[in-house]
Amino acid sequence: MILKIVGLSLLLAIMAFLLRSFGFKGAGVFAAIAVIAVFSAVSGELATLSSLVGASTLFSGEASRYAGTIIKLVGSGYLFGICSDVCRELGEVGIANGVTVAGRVELFALTAPYLGKILELGEELLG
Amino acid sequence: MKWAVTVFVIFAVFCFPIVASADAPEDFISDFSSLIPEGTLDGVGDGEALAEAVGFERILSEIYGILAENGGRLAAFFSLLIGLALLCALAGTLDGGLAHTVRSAVLAVSAVAIFESISDLVGVAVEALSETSSFFGGLIPIMTAVTASGGGVSAASVSAAGMSLTLGIVGGLTDGILGSLVSAMFALGLISELGGGSCAGLFKSAKGIYTFAVGLLTFLLGATLSLQTVIATATDGMMIRGAKYTVSGLVPIVGGTVSGALSTLASGLAYAKSFIGVGGVAIIVTIALAPTVLMLAYRVALSLAVDFLGYLDTGGGVKCFSSMLGALDCLIATYALSTVVYIFEIILFIKSGVGIL
């Protein structure tokens, strides 16, 4: 799998370089598609990582739920970050910023139950 | 002759209740035995068994038992901390616009996970202190009666007043302040995660204030009670010994017999005093041992996790875990100090001696 990803990345990079060299105007779009293609190749590995963490002996019982949420948070952070970078690469700064804001909202939605729990516990302890 | 009769009457007034209650030491021990909470000093009926029960080996075996019983829970907690530390480090690899948001969110989830694992420790500590207070409350009348039976009437009244005051103050602090203070520390630790800050400094101050207050109280109580007890014991001893000596000289047969009976009784009371005192300390230690060992084990795990996060160079994680460590430290310090006050009172009781000896 590692060799496949490295080979694909190098191939796409060479193709993008050649397209730029021949003055192809859609080289940016090609680069964006290339990033998505490489990321799709590792998405299977990410799912394996997530299930590995979930099944890890480090997180037993209730703790695996927290681990799952953290993996989702970090994964979402990476996904939105890559998406935002791709948009920025294509010169679409406005869309890139929009993606970042959407990422923040998504991250907040994932964390909201825990933030609510923190406030609830704090209120319970202080009350 | 008139003064000799007066001395005899004083002696009789002082000593008659003592001699009349000649079987008191066994009664006191029996009263004490009925007070022993289940599962603390089971099967300890005499001094030899008690000496064995308070031995180093037994304490070590108790600690081992507690660790073995809670081994699974502690291992799960430590694994959780290491896992969370690794995930915090993973979140730290992220850069770009969302990095800070992801790190804050990960720390908030981690704080909830840690708190859920250690939240019951507050309840365990408060419950153990309440059990100790209740046991100490039952011990006060027995200790006072033993001291009074040994001729230390003034010492008994002084120590009873002191012990009741201690019980009132420490009990009040436990019920009214300890639980709320530590809970507030944990709550602040959790809520500070929302702002990405750390409450470690605040916890240190709160711990300092509580330990200073209880420490000052212990010092004042200890100093005044020690002085009062020493004076009262000396006064009681002087009066009884003076009367004993005079009567032994003036009333040859009766005086000698009473004096002998008093010496026998004094030995019995000294034994009862030591048995009750040492047994009392042993029971308080046994009650306090399980929560203390558990809290210390959790503290060690958290401390190791903080070091591990420092090694992984995860600043935010260190702050988050340190906040929880600070709150736990606060709980351990306040709990230990409150328990030590009771032990100190009992040691004072043991050291005050028997007036008629």
Side-chain angles (χ1 to χ4, degrees), chain B residues 136 139 143 163 226 229 273-274 276-278 280-282 284-285 339-353:
Chain B
F136 187 74
L139 202 60
M143 292 196 288
M163 286 188 283
S226 302
T229 308
K273 201 164 198 179
S274 304
I276 293 167
V278 173
V281 171
I284 289 179
V285 168
T339 306
V340 164
V341 175
Y342 290 126
I343 293 176
F344 175 77
E345 289 283 343
I346 298 177
I347 288 172
L348 206 63
F349 159 75
I350 301 170
K351 297 298 279 180
S352 67

Side-chain angles (χ1 to χ4, degrees), chain B residues 308-319:
Chain B
F308 184 56
L309 276 163
Y311 170 73
L312 295 173
D313 203 17
T314 315
V318 172
K319 271 186 194 170

Side-chain angles (χ1 to χ4, degrees), chain A residues 12 20 26-40 77-100, chain B residues 95-98:
Chain A
L12 290 170
R20 271 188 218 278
V29 178
F30 180 80
I33 293 166
V35 169
I36 294 164
V38 171
F39 200 76
S40 305
Y78 269 107
L79 272 176
F80 281 107
I82 289 165
C83 184
S84 168
D85 286 347
V86 167
C87 293
R88 202 162 277 122
E89 188 72 21
L90 292 171
E92 296 298 332
V93 181
I95 296 175
N97 289 340
V99 170
T100 308
Chain B
D95 50 11
L98 287 170

Side-chain angles (χ1 to χ4, degrees), chain B:
Chain B
M1 193 62 191
K2 213 174 179 181
W3 64 269
V5 172
T6 312
V7 169
F8 184 76
V9 169
I10 291 170
F11 183 71
V13 167
F14 261 96
C15 299
F16 180 72
I18 301 166
V19 179
S21 60
D23 59 341
E26 288 76 30
D27 290 347
F28 293 134
I29 291 173
S30 156
D31 288 347
F32 173 71
S33 299
S34 65
L35 200 67
I36 296 174
E38 212 173 298
T40 49
L41 284 181
D42 295 338
V44 175
D46 55 15
E48 209 175 312
L50 182 62
E52 204 176 302
V54 294
F56 186 61
E57 232 172 83
R58 183 175 172 267
I59 300 287
L60 277 184
S61 113
E62 281 272 336
I63 292 172
Y64 176 76
I66 294 160
L67 289 175
E69 195 182 321
N70 294 286
R73 189 179 158 187
L74 286 167
F77 179 64
F78 187 63
S79 303
L80 170 74
L81 291 178
I82 296 298
L84 289 175
L86 288 170
L87 291 177
C88 285
L90 179 69
T93 59
L94 203 72
D95 50 11
L98 287 170
H100 181 71
T101 314
V102 171
R103 276 198 282 273
S104 299
V106 169
L107 290 178
V109 177
S110 302
V112 175
I114 298 172
F115 179 74
E116 286 216 325
S117 301
I118 57 175
S119 59
D120 62 324
L121 286 180
V122 183
V124 169
V126 170
E127 198 184 312
L129 270 180
S130 296
E131 197 183 339
T132 309
S133 300
S134 143
F135 169 71
F136 187 74
L139 202 60
I140 292 175
I142 300 173
M143 292 196 288
T144 309
V146 173
T147 309
S149 297
V153 181
S154 315
S157 77
V158 165
S159 63
M163 286 188 283
S164 300
L165 186 65
T166 305
L167 183 66
I169 293 172
V170 178
L173 282 174
T174 307
D175 297 338
I177 297 179
L178 177 72
S180 315
L181 178 81
V182 178
S183 298
M185 296 293 104
F186 277 115
L188 282 173
L190 278 170
I191 291 168
S192 70
E193 290 315 318
L194 297 178
S198 171
C199 284
L202 183 68
F203 294 161
K204 211 173 170 186
S205 306
K207 183 178 78 179
I209 291 167
Y210 186 88
T211 48
F212 175 75
V214 180
L216 185 70
L217 189 77
T218 313
F219 171 74
L220 289 176
L221 266 174
T224 51
L225 273 177
S226 302
L227 293 174
Q228 281 182 324
T229 308
V230 166
I231 290 293
T233 308
T235 311
D236 291 334
M238 188 187 72
M239 285 188 74
I240 286 190
R241 269 177 218 144
K244 206 163 87 175
Y245 174 77
T246 312
V247 171
S248 300
L250 287 179
V251 194
I253 299 163
V254 178
T257 311
V258 171
S259 189
L262 280 176
S263 296
T264 312
L265 176 64
S267 309
L269 284 172
Y271 169 73
K273 201 164 198 179
S274 304
F275 186 89
I276 293 167
V278 173
V281 171
I283 289 167
I284 289 179
V285 168
T286 310
I287 294 171
L289 202 60
T292 309
V293 169
L294 205 59
M295 285 189 284
L296 286 175
Y298 271 89
R299 198 207 173 279
V300 168
L302 256 174
S303 182
L304 285 172
V306 169
D307 289 342
F308 184 56
L309 276 163
Y311 170 73
L312 295 173
D313 203 17
T314 315
V318 172
K319 271 186 194 170
C320 167
F321 282 44
S322 294
S323 290
M324 290 294 148
L325 187 62
L328 193 59
D329 273 347
C330 189
L331 176 66
I332 295 169
T334 49
Y335 175 73
L337 198 58
S338 304
T339 306
V340 164
V341 175
Y342 290 126
I343 293 176
F344 175 77
E345 289 283 343
I346 298 177
I347 288 172
L348 206 63
F349 159 75
I350 301 170
K351 297 298 279 180
S352 67
V354 179
I356 54 172
L357 199 62

